[in-house]
């Protein structure tokens, strides 16, 4: 009987010690996370911060005189939904001749030499990407896909979007 009381007492001490250590640990870690309240920013604060960022940023901005590349609309089962955009914008991370194109399957950034990146839209995935072509596939129906080909026309990249086979 005394042996059982000793075992039960040891377990109770261990449980109390574990709870105390847990509470102290949570208070130490949580104090740095929860003590500081994030104050909402006023519109003037946001404008001031944006001006400071834009004045210190060396990122290129799209030019109003940049020629628009042609992006034919997809046809067939992949053509449902919004049509691809026909006005590319310069990408901040792309070289000067790089352009970003919005398609139904996602964003394609390319220059005259190759596809630089492909970012799938929601519900799509990148099935493959080579230098001058890539393919988006629907997540819901993998038989639905879009092929993207890039070529250089008058020194500017252009893409062609067509249903994948």
């Amino acid at each position: 009987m005394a042996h059982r009381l000793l075992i039960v007492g040891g377990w109770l001490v261990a449980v109390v010690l574990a709870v105390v250590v847990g509470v102290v640990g949570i208070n130490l870690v949580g104090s740095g996370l929860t003590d500081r309240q994030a104050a909402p920013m006023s519109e003037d604060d946001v404008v001031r911060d944006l001006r400071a960022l834009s004045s210190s940023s060396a990122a290129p901005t799209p030019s109003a005189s940049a020629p628009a590349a042609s992006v034919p609309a997809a046809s067939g089962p992949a053509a449902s939904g919004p049509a691809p955009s026909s006005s590319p914008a310069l990408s901040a991370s792309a070289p000067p001749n790089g352009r970003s194109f919005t398609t139904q399957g996602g964003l394609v950034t390319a220059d005259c030499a190759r596809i630089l990146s492909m970012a799938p839209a929601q519900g799509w995935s990148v099935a493959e990407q080579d230098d001058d072509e890539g393919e988006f596939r629907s997540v819901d129906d993998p038989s639905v896909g879009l092929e993207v080909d890039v070529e250089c026309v008058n020194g500017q990249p252009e893409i062609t979007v067509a249903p994948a086979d």
Side-chain angles (χ1 to χ4, degrees):
M1 183 73 170
H3 186 52
R4 287 183 190 231
L5 287 176
L6 185 62
I7 292 173
V8 170
W11 275 106
L12 288 176
V13 168
V15 167
V16 169
L17 184 62
V19 169
V20 168
V21 168
V23 169
V24 169
I26 289 171
N27 284 335
L28 288 175
V29 171
S31 65
L33 300 174
T34 60
D35 286 348
R36 290 177 273 155
Q37 293 285 333
M41 294 177 70
S42 70
E43 186 175 345
D44 294 335
D45 292 339
V46 172
V47 170
R48 184 179 57 246
D49 287 352
L50 287 174
R51 283 188 184 140
L53 280 174
S54 66
S55 67
S56 66
S57 172
T61 57
S63 135
S65 63
S70 68
V71 180
S75 61
S80 62
S85 169
S86 62
S87 60
L90 285 177
S91 170
S93 62
N97 289 339
R99 297 235 187 258
S100 293
F101 304 89
T102 302
T103 71
Q104 181 183 355
L107 184 71
V108 178
T109 303
D111 62 16
C112 274
R114 67 188 190 285
I115 293 177
L116 301 171
S117 68
M118 294 176 68
Q122 186 170 356
W124 293 83
S125 65
V126 175
E128 66 179 69
Q129 178 182 342
D130 294 328
D131 284 342
D132 62 347
E133 62 186 13
E135 185 176 319
F136 291 110
R137 284 279 169 191
S138 170
V139 173
D140 296 330
D141 184 1
S143 68
V144 175
L146 295 175
E147 286 184 6
V148 178
D149 292 311
V150 66
E151 60 182 296
C152 193
V153 177
N154 298 326
Q156 294 294 321
E158 288 191 13
I159 66 168
T160 304
V161 180
D165 297 328

